[in-house]
Amino acid sequence: MSKHIGILFIIVVLCSSCQFLDKTPSEQELLDQRIKEINWQKVDKFPSINNCDAIENAAEQKKCFFDCISQIIEDKISLDTLLKLYPNIDTVSVKVTVFPNATLKFEPQLNPDLDSGEKQKIDSIFHARLVGFPRVQPAIKQGIPVKTQFTIPVVLNNK
């Protein structure tokens, strides 16, 4: 009797395992699984600017990009009266958004102690000066251009 139960158990296991082998995942299941595997917090390739495109090493290209963007912003802002109006501000953090279509958006992250009028004035100076920016290639994720945001410290006063 126990021999028959053992054989019956093996047959049940084999039959049920065959059912698992017959089930092939649908396209949607495969897609859902692949989407779960992707780390959406990291890009495959950082945004780039022409000055940095020839650099092969990803870390060096990223550093070059951030250095170039910071320098361009500093150069454009230093031409203005911002230092004369606000000599006590030596560094401003600027949130930079690079959109998939290669457009840029700059948002100065100002000290909350400044009144709204001062914030508006500084913001308008940044927006007026940060035009005509060199072309930036957007970041790439899974072969597709994606939106990225980062904050760059911009030195206004090198005293």
Side-chain angles (χ1 to χ4, degrees):
M1 178 87 164
S2 66
K3 183 178 176 183
H4 293 290
I5 293 174
I7 293 173
L8 183 61
F9 177 73
I10 292 172
I11 291 172
V12 169
V13 169
L14 287 175
C15 288
S16 61
S17 66
C18 290
Q19 290 173 352
F20 288 117
L21 293 176
D22 288 341
K23 185 176 183 320
T24 57
S26 69
E27 286 182 37
Q28 187 61 46
E29 289 171 327
L30 291 172
L31 178 62
D32 291 344
Q33 180 182 354
R34 178 66 182 125
I35 287 174
K36 287 178 186 175
E37 293 171 357
I38 296 172
N39 180 350
W40 294 103
Q41 302 305 312
K42 292 185 178 182
V43 294
D44 300 333
K45 185 173 187 254
F46 275 88
S48 186
I49 196 163
N50 286 343
N51 296 2
C52 306
D53 283 344
I55 299 172
E56 297 285 328
N57 181 288
E60 289 176 21
Q61 187 180 47
K62 177 182 172 183
K63 181 182 180 331
C64 175
F65 172 74
F66 284 112
D67 290 347
C68 285
I69 293 293
S70 295
Q71 189 60 54
I72 293 168
I73 293 172
E74 288 172 18
D75 292 347
K76 287 181 172 281
I77 295 299
S78 69
L79 298 173
D80 216 297
T81 59
L82 192 61
L83 291 175
K84 292 177 187 164
L85 291 172
Y86 304 99
N88 57 336
I89 299 176
D90 62 348
T91 304
V92 173
S93 293
V94 179
K95 183 165 73 171
V96 180
T97 305
V98 180
F99 293 95
N101 65 358
T103 58
L104 300 169
K105 179 179 179 184
F106 301 98
E107 300 171 88
Q109 307 297 295
L110 302 170
N111 185 336
D113 295 338
L114 292 173
D115 70 49
S116 62
E118 290 175 318
K119 286 181 183 180
Q120 279 185 329
K121 191 181 291 185
I122 293 170
D123 192 55
S124 67
I125 291 171
F126 267 83
H127 284 89
R129 299 303 304 163
L130 297 179
V131 294
F133 221 79
R135 180 153 172 80
V136 173
Q137 292 83 31
I140 302 294
K141 181 70 176 180
Q142 300 290 303
I144 299 171
V146 293
K147 172 181 153 183
T148 49
Q149 287 185 323
F150 44 88
T151 302
I152 296 177
V154 176
V155 178
L156 301 175
N157 194 352
N158 282 332
K159 287 183 183 178

